[in-house]
């Protein structure tokens, strides 16, 4: 296997242009599919895969009583003058009915609307029912035999309405609601007459402030066409309502999904340019170089192209979850870029002279060790084998001859120029081990000094001394990039492996979009490694060479290695080194508090939470340029109105699907008891006559029995205890029901191949209750039909949504455990292989676990639930946290091998990698934090919590991890380092603290 230095040199020197061309071609090929990615914000894609969703699909397919493949919308015509009396607001008048019929005529004549409608179920309203009843009454049809299908033409219906008296209109309205539309054989819409009038309908006066038209759309209609059709229907209705204080609203998935989509787009339109601009400014501040910032942004664009191109080729739809993908990939990409660029700068600092140069030179020599030190595995952690060292040697002799015995190379003797005089040495290593008597060259065939394991065994120095043989910083751009890339290459590869594997743990989720999110994220993370581990370094060498050949100095100082940031990071190092237990103790206290809060974080998935109401749009949005102003949002207000008025429509239904032995004697009794129990929960809609709207098989049978004596007799014979519920010969009851009510029977009793397989209980609920409350009460009421040969699945939109919420929480818990376990195993195996210390993997992972507890506790404090956006925050935390932690641990171990002094290694690692992480964290926080100004609440929450996640991950890596590394080194590190002798350092050891 090639060493990191060899791989780096191959990419940025020997095969640099081949690297550029190959990756550019791959980007173009993948990116060709990016424009084909489609955006869908429909919540149905999240609801699939759950048991309630499967039960709901079964009802739609087998027991709905409607034409298959239909999606309904409700167009409501209303009087908005709430201060007027019931009579003045009444829309159930001759004028009102005629207006509704004219609206229906125009709907059918409009191509935009008509092309989406199902021919077998034309638009239907109370006006149709009253007009048809008037026609059939004139024909002498008894009320109990009236049916509105097949319908006369709309012209005939209008004529009939014009020719009836006020008394007849009121009478026929009563017939429509109480008889005709409630006939069991009239199986759609499910709400009967109260699909067309609200529950505020006043029975005595026959008045209502609103009336509805139910439209049946083909469910395979293109979403954009469905949205356009519903908006057009609303405009047509409003155009017909010439009277004051009257308007129209429409409720349907087309408009709901369109507004879900529009709110996401508006949010990104508002914050996107600001986020991008802020990120560019922060990158310019971190890089202090326009060219490097441009290269970093180019790399980010390429990574996103890979991710979206993969989505296009795999036909993966962009949904609400995927807003997190560019945020994640931009964060990791910026971090990868800054680490590569800053490590390169450390190897090639500005030629300004003075202490800064001496410090950079020391870091360069330390960093140079990584090229070979990390490639050959040691299982002894760098300690010499027993036969390599005489156990009787004293400590001082051991230190002086460590290079010969195969342990760590201490001091700068392995890296210094033999011709360099003592006066030329950096002051912090002036007392390094004597280099005047270098170790004897080993005899041929003898093992010789183990410099590979110790950090001194580097690749052969290339011409010009790229490994730092001069004792100072390297000069050639290719050589310094080789050393810099080799220095961070192992960390980048390890970050990619752990993070990508962690995101792939989302494949265990029951929510399809979450599984897709995990795969796309993993692809993007690998893309970040390819782009910033090969393409951008190679391109930077080309660009810097081109510019320097034309007189432009491309030397820049690494971020965090000068000025106030250096002072801040230096203070952190000192604190971690001298009082590690205090740092860890404070972190543990915060972690315990976070864990306590984490157990209280709620899980939530409700349609209302993802819809924007016009009243929620901040006032400052009105001052934005027209291109950035949000759209008008009406869906939430329309839903609220329909639910408050009590229209019984598709979105208000819950139901029980009862499977198993439904022909057992107790089946109907148990189903009825479930219906009675749910009626007592307070969430069921109550009709104006104070009866409940719940429909059970027994209630259907009672209605059919009241109209058909044959069935009534069969039902009485099957009822042995006189309670009105058949309790024997149940199969015969079902057979008779199917014979006398062939349309109604399948809506309550499902039959497959002659066998009865399911019962249905329909429970219209009050939509003003929260979906979690509705779900809990409806589920609890199903107890009578659970067990003893019957199995019940509650379903309906509220219950389906809560099932998704439960899966989101399950994804958080399961994904968290799997991801942490996988990352832990990988880190332990890698550090066992490269360092001989699997425990180093545990130490590296601990700050990430701390950050997870902190962010979950913060979610509880800020009252932010797990929803469709925030459910992935744990994966995000691990992804960013692993990145930061691995970079620091890797750098620390490299410097520990190179310098042999814990304090010096910690200082170099934190000021080097910590500075890069600080630049990355500031950039990412600036970019994602502006999402707090989005108009979509879950997006606001995601922005806030993600910005805090990045901050916590940074704190965990540069504050807590150094303290943990100090404690780990004292307990498990190399003997010489644990002893604190620091043979390579001229300064005195740090004074012992109480923590020691």
């Amino acid at each position: 296997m090639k060493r990191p230095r060899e791989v780096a040199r191959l990419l940025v020197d020997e095969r640099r242009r081949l690297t550029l061309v190959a990756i550019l071609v791959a980007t173009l090929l993948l990116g060709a599919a990016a424009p084909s990615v489609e955006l869908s914000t429909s919540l149905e894609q999240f609801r699939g895969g759950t048991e309630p969703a499967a039960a709901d699909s079964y009802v739609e397919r087998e027991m709905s009583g409607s034409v298959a493949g239909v999606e309904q919308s409700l167009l409501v015509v209303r009087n908005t003058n709430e201060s007027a009396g019931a009579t003045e607001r009444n829309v159930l008048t001759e004028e009102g009915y005629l207006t509704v019929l004219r609206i229906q005529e125009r709907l059918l004549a409009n191509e935009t609307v008509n092309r989406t409608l199902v021919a077998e179920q034309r638009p239907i309203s109370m006006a149709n029912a009253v007009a048809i009843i008037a026609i059939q009454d004139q024909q002498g049809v008894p009320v109990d035999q009236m049916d509105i299908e097949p319908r006369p033409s709309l012209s005939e219906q209008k004529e009939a309405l014009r020719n009836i008296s006020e008394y007849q209109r009121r009478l026929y309205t009563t017939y429509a609601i109480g008889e005709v539309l409630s006939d069991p054989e009239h199986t759609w819409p499910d709400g009967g007459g109260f699909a067309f009038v609200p529950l505020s309908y006043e029975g005595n006066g026959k008045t209502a402030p609103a009336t509805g038209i139910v439209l049946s759309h083909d469910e395979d209609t293109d979403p954009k066409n469905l949205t356009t059709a519903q908006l057009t229907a609303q405009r047509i209705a409003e155009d017909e309502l010439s009277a004051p204080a009257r308007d129209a609203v429409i409720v349907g998935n087309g408009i709901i999904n369109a507004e879900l989509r529009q709110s996401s787009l508006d949010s990104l339109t508002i914050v996107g340019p600001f986020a991008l601009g802020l990120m560019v400014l922060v990158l310019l501040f971190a890089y202090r170089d326009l060219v490097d910032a441009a290269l970093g942004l180019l790399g980010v664009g390429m990574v996103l192209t890979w991710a979206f191109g993969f989505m296009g080729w795999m036909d993966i739809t962009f949904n609400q979850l995927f807003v997190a993908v560019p945020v994640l990939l931009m964060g990791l990409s910026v971090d990868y870029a800054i680490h590569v660029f800053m490590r390169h700068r450390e190897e090639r600092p500005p030629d300004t002279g003075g202490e800064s140069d001496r410090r950079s030179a020391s870091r360069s020599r330390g960093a140079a060790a990584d090229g070979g030190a990390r490639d050959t595995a040691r299982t002894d952690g760098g300690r010499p084998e027993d036969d390599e060292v005489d156990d009787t040697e004293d400590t001082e002799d051991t230190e002086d001859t460590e290079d010969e015995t195969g342990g760590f190379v201490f001091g700068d003797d392995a890296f210094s120029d033999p011709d360099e005089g003592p006066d030329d040495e950096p002051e912090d290593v002036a007392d390094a081990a004597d280099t005047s008597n270098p170790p004897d060259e080993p005899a041929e065939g003898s093992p010789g000094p183990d410099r590979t394991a110790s950090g001194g065994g580097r690749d052969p120095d290339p011409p010009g001394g790229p490994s730092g043989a001069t004792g100072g910083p390297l000069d050639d751009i290719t050589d310094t990039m080789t050393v810099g890339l080799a220095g961070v290459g192992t960390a980048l590869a390890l970050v990619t492996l752990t993070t990508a594997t962690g995101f792939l743990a989302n494949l265990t989720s029951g929510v399809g979009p979450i599984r897709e999110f995990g795969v796309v994220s993993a692809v993007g993370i690998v893309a970040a490694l390819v782009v910033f581990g090969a393409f951008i370094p190679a391109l930077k060498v080309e660009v810097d060479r081109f510019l320097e050949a034309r007189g432009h100095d491309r030397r820049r100082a690494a971020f965090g290695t000068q000025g106030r940031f250096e002072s801040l990071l230096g203070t952190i190092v000192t604190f971690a080194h001298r009082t590690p237990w205090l740092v860890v103790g404070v972190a543990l206290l915060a972690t315990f508090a976070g864990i306590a809060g984490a157990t209280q974080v709620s899980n939530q998935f409700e349609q209302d939470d993802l819809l924007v109401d016009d009243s929620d749009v901040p006032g400052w949005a009105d001052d934005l340029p027209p291109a950035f102003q949000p759209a008008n949002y009406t869906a939430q207000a329309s839903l609220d109105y329909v639910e408050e008025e009590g229209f019984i429509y598709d979105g208000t239904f819950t139901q029980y699907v009862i499977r198993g032995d439904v022909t057992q004697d107790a089946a109907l009794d148990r189903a009825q008891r479930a219906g009675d129990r749910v009626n007592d929960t307070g969430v069921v809609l109550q009709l104006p006559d104070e009866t409940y709207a719940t429909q059970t098989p027994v209630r259907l049978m009672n209605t059919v029995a009241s109209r058909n004596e044959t069935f009534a007799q069969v039902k009485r014979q099957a009822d042995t205890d006189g309670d009105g519920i058949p309790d024997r010969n149940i199969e015969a009851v079902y057979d008779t029901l199917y014979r006398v009510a062939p349309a109604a029977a399948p809506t309550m009793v499902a039959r497959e191949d002659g066998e009865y397989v399911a019962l249905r209980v329909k429970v219209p609920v009050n939509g003003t209750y929260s979906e979690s409350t509705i779900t809990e009460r409806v589920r609890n009421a199903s107890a009578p039909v659970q067990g003893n040969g019957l199995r019940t699945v509650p379903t309906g939109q509220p219950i389906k949504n809560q099932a998704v919420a439960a899966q989101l929480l399950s994804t958080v818990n399961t994904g968290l455990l799997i991801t942490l376990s996988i990352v832990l195993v990988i880190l332990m195996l890698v550090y066992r292989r490269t360092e001989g210390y699997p425990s180093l993997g545990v130490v590296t992972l601990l700050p990430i676990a701390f950050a997870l507890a902190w962010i979950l506790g913060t979610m509880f404090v800020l009252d932010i639930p797990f929803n469709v956006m925030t459910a992935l925050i744990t994966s995000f935390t691990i992804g960013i946290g692993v990145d930061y932690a691995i970079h620091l641990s890797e750098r620390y171990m490299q410097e520990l091998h190179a310098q042999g002094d814990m304090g010096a290694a910690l200082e170099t690692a934190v000021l080097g990698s910590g500075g890069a992480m600080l630049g990355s964290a500031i950039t990412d926080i600036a970019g994602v934090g502006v999402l707090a100004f989005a108009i979509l609440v879950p997006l606001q929450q995601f922005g806030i919590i993600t910005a805090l996640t990045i901050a916590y991950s940074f704190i965990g890596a540069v504050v807590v991890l150094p303290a943990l590394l100090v404690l780990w080194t004292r307990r498990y590190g190399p003997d010489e380092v644990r002893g604190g002798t620091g043979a390579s350092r001229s300064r005195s050891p740090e004074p012992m603290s109480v923590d020691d």
Side-chain angles (χ1 to χ4, degrees):
M1 181 182 294
K2 290 183 179 294
R3 297 177 177 181
R5 179 75 63 80
E6 295 171 347
V7 174
R9 179 164 296 282
L10 189 69
L11 294 173
V12 301
D13 185 10
E14 298 173 8
R15 297 288 186 270
R16 181 171 65 250
R17 293 186 178 176
L18 178 61
T19 298
L20 291 172
V21 172
I23 296 176
L24 188 59
V25 169
T27 302
L28 293 174
L29 290 176
L30 272 173
S36 65
V37 175
E38 295 183 354
L39 171 64
S40 173
T41 51
S42 171
L43 300 184
E44 285 302 319
Q45 58 192 320
F46 293 93
R47 294 170 180 148
T50 64
E51 189 176 44
D56 194 73
S57 296
Y58 177 79
V59 170
E60 289 291 329
R61 187 174 62 251
E62 303 292 343
M63 305 181 75
S64 68
S66 174
V67 173
V70 167
E71 181 172 306
Q72 293 180 351
S73 61
L74 179 65
L75 177 62
V76 177
V77 175
R78 63 181 179 175
N79 186 300
T80 58
N81 186 6
E82 296 184 4
S83 62
T87 302
E88 187 178 348
R89 295 187 68 195
N90 184 34
V91 298
L92 305 181
T93 62
E94 178 183 332
E95 177 195 354
Y97 285 150
L98 289 172
T99 299
V100 169
L101 293 182
R102 286 196 302 270
I103 291 172
Q104 289 181 231
E105 279 185 325
R106 292 184 59 180
L107 294 177
L108 294 172
N110 185 281
E111 176 60 25
T112 300
V113 177
N114 194 30
R115 67 182 177 181
T116 71
L117 301 178
V118 176
E120 297 88 341
Q121 286 186 184
R122 291 179 296 166
I124 186 172
S125 65
M126 181 61 66
N128 298 120
V130 171
I132 294 171
I133 290 171
I135 293 172
Q136 293 185 359
D137 187 43
Q138 292 176 2
Q139 295 171 348
V141 179
V143 174
D144 60 357
Q145 297 180 22
M146 289 181 180
D147 191 352
I148 62 174
E149 299 290 354
R151 298 185 221 169
S153 68
L154 288 173
S155 297
E156 292 177 271
Q157 294 178 43
K158 288 194 293 184
E159 185 64 25
L161 287 174
R162 293 190 185 101
N163 292 328
I164 61 176
S165 66
E166 178 69 13
Y167 169 78
Q168 288 174 313
R169 176 191 58 76
R170 291 158 57 95
L171 179 64
Y172 297 153
T173 299
T174 301
Y175 287 168
I177 295 175
E179 299 286 339
V180 179
L181 294 177
S182 61
D183 186 339
E185 289 293 275
H186 183 74
T187 59
W188 74 277
D190 272 335
F194 290 98
F196 309 117
V197 296
L199 293 178
S200 57
Y201 165 75
E202 204 281 313
N204 291 330
K206 311 300 183 291
T207 62
T211 185
I213 306 171
V214 176
L215 308 180
S216 298
H217 305 276
D218 187 337
E219 68 178 5
D220 293 327
T221 300
D222 180 83
K224 292 181 180 179
N225 291 340
L226 180 60
T227 301
T228 304
Q230 291 175 354
L231 290 173
T232 301
Q234 184 178 11
R235 284 195 296 270
I236 289 173
E238 290 178 338
D239 187 54
E240 285 291 335
L241 297 172
S242 56
R246 295 203 176 188
D247 69 1
V249 297
I250 190 166
V251 173
N253 283 336
I255 289 181
I256 290 173
N257 291 335
E259 291 201 2
L260 289 172
R261 179 178 183 273
Q262 188 63 46
S263 61
S264 297
L265 293 176
D266 281 348
S267 294
L268 296 178
T269 298
I270 293 172
V271 304
F274 184 44
L276 180 60
L278 190 59
M279 177 174 286
V280 170
L281 289 176
V282 176
L283 281 176
L284 288 172
F285 173 73
Y287 286 121
R288 299 176 187 268
D289 182 82
L290 184 61
V291 174
D292 283 357
L295 289 174
L297 288 174
L298 172 64
V300 171
M302 292 177 66
V303 171
L304 294 178
T305 300
W306 278 50
F308 284 99
F310 175 79
M311 290 178 66
W313 285 114
M314 300 303 294
D315 196 26
I316 295 175
T317 301
F318 188 96
N319 54 52
Q320 291 94 328
L321 274 181
F322 283 89
V323 172
V325 170
V327 173
L328 169 70
L329 297 184
M330 288 170 68
L332 286 176
S333 296
V334 167
D335 189 73
Y336 281 25
I338 288 183
H339 275 289
V340 171
F341 283 23
M342 298 306 162
R343 193 61 176 270
H344 170 66
R345 290 183 180 185
E346 285 189 68
E347 300 301 328
R348 199 168 186 263
D351 188 11
T352 59
E355 176 64 24
S356 176
D357 285 342
R358 287 194 297 273
R359 181 165 49 249
S360 297
S362 175
R363 287 178 191 151
S364 177
R365 289 192 298 275
D370 71 90
R374 323 294 299 153
D375 295 321
T376 303
R378 285 186 66 100
T379 57
D380 59 4
R383 298 187 180 89
E385 299 290 346
D386 292 341
D387 59 354
E388 290 179 312
V389 181
D390 186 351
D391 291 335
T392 63
E393 283 187 331
D394 59 30
T395 303
E396 182 176 336
D397 290 337
T398 301
E399 293 171 2
D400 291 338
T401 62
E402 188 66 18
D403 187 33
E404 297 182 43
T405 58
F408 285 96
V409 176
F410 293 113
D412 293 329
D413 29 359
F415 307 100
S416 61
D417 190 331
D419 297 329
E420 184 179 10
D423 294 336
D424 298 325
E425 291 184 351
E427 61 184 14
D428 58 350
V429 290
D431 295 333
D434 185 13
T435 61
S436 60
N437 298 308
D440 294 334
E441 292 294 327
E444 184 176 357
S446 66
D450 188 1
R451 295 192 180 217
T452 298
S454 69
R458 304 181 307 282
D459 298 340
D461 290 344
S467 62
T470 62
L474 307 176
D475 293 320
D476 183 77
I477 297 171
T478 304
D479 294 335
T480 53
M481 180 57 78
T482 299
V483 174
L485 184 59
V488 297
T490 302
L492 292 180
L494 187 52
V495 166
T496 301
L497 175 63
T498 53
T499 308
T501 304
F503 274 95
L504 287 175
N506 286 309
L507 289 172
T508 62
S509 174
V511 182
I514 290 182
R515 295 194 298 271
E516 294 175 339
F517 170 85
V519 174
V520 172
S521 297
V523 171
I525 293 165
V526 172
L529 176 64
V530 173
V531 171
F532 288 101
F535 183 84
I536 294 299
L539 183 59
K540 179 170 172 56
V541 169
E542 287 285 339
V543 171
D544 283 0
R545 279 189 165 183
F546 176 83
L547 293 175
E548 290 206 342
R550 285 154 181 78
H552 299 281
D553 184 9
R554 297 296 299 142
R555 297 172 182 270
R556 298 289 186 273
F559 185 77
T561 60
Q562 294 180 355
R564 294 180 180 178
F565 288 124
E566 180 186 28
S567 176
L568 173 63
L569 294 174
T571 301
I572 292 173
V573 172
T574 301
F575 201 62
H577 191 191
R578 295 187 176 182
T579 58
W581 279 115
L582 177 61
V583 174
V584 174
V586 172
L588 284 173
L589 288 176
T591 300
F592 292 144
I595 292 173
T599 60
Q600 305 300 315
V601 178
S602 62
N603 56 309
Q604 191 168 306
F605 183 86
E606 296 195 18
Q607 181 173 269
D608 289 359
D609 295 329
L610 295 170
L611 286 170
V612 174
D613 191 271
D614 265 349
S615 61
D616 297 330
V617 178
W620 52 260
D622 296 334
D623 300 325
L624 295 172
F628 293 90
Q629 289 187 1
N632 294 323
Y633 294 98
T634 61
Q636 184 62 66
S638 299
L639 280 169
D640 290 343
Y641 173 80
V642 168
E643 290 172 352
E644 289 169 3
E645 286 295 319
F647 282 92
I648 301 179
Y649 77 108
D650 193 46
T652 63
F653 269 99
T654 61
Q655 50 201 339
Y656 299 136
V657 179
I658 305 168
R659 308 295 293 270
D661 184 11
V662 297
T663 59
Q664 63 176 270
D665 291 346
L668 290 173
D669 179 69
R670 292 168 65 186
Q672 183 61 36
R673 283 192 286 121
D676 293 339
R677 284 188 54 164
V678 79
N679 287 340
D680 294 333
T681 62
V683 298
V684 179
L685 286 175
Q686 202 168 12
L687 301 177
D689 63 359
E690 297 185 353
T691 62
Y692 289 99
T694 301
Q695 293 289 330
T696 65
V698 172
R699 186 169 182 176
L700 170 65
M701 292 176 182
N702 290 339
T703 303
V704 173
S706 68
R707 301 182 182 211
N708 186 287
E709 182 55 36
T710 300
F711 180 75
Q713 183 176 358
V714 172
K715 179 174 175 292
R716 284 194 297 270
Q717 292 174 350
D719 179 13
T720 62
D721 55 10
D723 63 355
I725 302 174
D727 50 28
R728 69 174 182 177
N729 300 327
I730 303 298
E731 189 169 356
V733 174
Y734 294 158
D735 289 341
T736 307
L737 181 66
Y738 260 79
R739 186 171 63 254
V740 301
T747 66
M748 286 289 147
V749 183
R751 182 170 65 181
E752 296 177 6
D753 300 326
E755 299 290 331
Y756 296 102
V757 295
L759 300 177
R760 178 190 183 199
V761 176
K762 298 192 297 184
V763 187
V765 292
N766 188 338
T768 60
Y769 284 91
S770 70
E771 290 187 345
S772 59
T773 299
I774 291 172
T775 300
E776 179 183 8
R777 296 185 184 182
V778 172
R779 281 178 175 167
N780 290 341
S782 68
V785 280
Q786 298 286 10
N788 296 324
L790 297 179
R791 184 172 181 275
T792 302
V793 179
T795 186
Q797 179 173 300
I799 296 174
K800 288 193 295 181
N801 286 347
Q802 290 307 297
V804 175
Q807 282 200 333
L808 290 176
L809 185 60
S810 175
T811 295
V812 171
N813 294 332
T814 304
L816 178 60
L817 292 176
I818 293 176
T819 301
L820 285 177
S821 300
I822 291 174
V823 171
L824 178 61
V825 170
I826 291 175
L827 289 176
M828 292 181 69
L829 289 176
V830 169
Y831 284 126
R832 174 69 177 85
R833 178 77 174 84
T834 60
E835 301 292 345
Y837 295 108
S839 59
L840 184 58
V842 179
V843 172
T844 302
L845 188 62
L846 272 178
I848 304 168
F850 290 170
L852 276 169
W854 301 343
I855 199 62
L856 294 178
T858 302
M859 289 179 67
F860 168 70
V861 171
L862 298 180
D863 194 25
I864 295 177
F866 289 121
N867 55 37
V868 69
M869 296 290 297
T870 60
L872 298 173
I873 198 63
T874 54
S875 295
F876 200 97
T877 304
I878 295 173
I880 295 295
V882 163
D883 186 6
Y884 289 171
I886 287 176
H887 276 297
L888 193 69
S889 289
E890 275 291 303
R891 185 65 182 273
Y892 173 72
M893 293 307 296
Q894 290 174 9
E895 300 301 335
L896 192 63
H897 288 311
Q899 301 185 54
D901 181 271
M902 179 173 60
L906 198 65
E907 179 183 357
T908 304
V910 173
L911 267 64
S913 294
M917 285 189 287
L918 180 60
S920 172
I922 293 174
T923 305
D924 295 341
I925 290 172
V928 74
V930 298
L931 289 175
F933 297 98
I935 63 173
L936 186 61
V937 172
L939 202 54
Q940 295 173 11
Q941 295 171 335
F942 176 74
I944 293 169
I945 211 68
T946 301
L948 289 173
T949 290
I950 296 169
Y952 290 163
S953 298
F954 175 78
I955 292 171
V958 301
V959 178
V960 180
L961 182 55
L964 291 171
L965 288 172
V966 168
L967 296 175
W968 175 83
T969 305
R970 291 175 180 173
R971 180 77 171 94
Y972 299 104
D975 293 336
E976 296 79 7
V977 178
R978 280 189 284 148
T981 56
S984 69
R985 309 292 289 180
S986 61
R987 62 189 178 191
S988 301
E990 293 286 345
M992 298 288 285
S993 71
V994 292
D995 299 298
D996 293 325

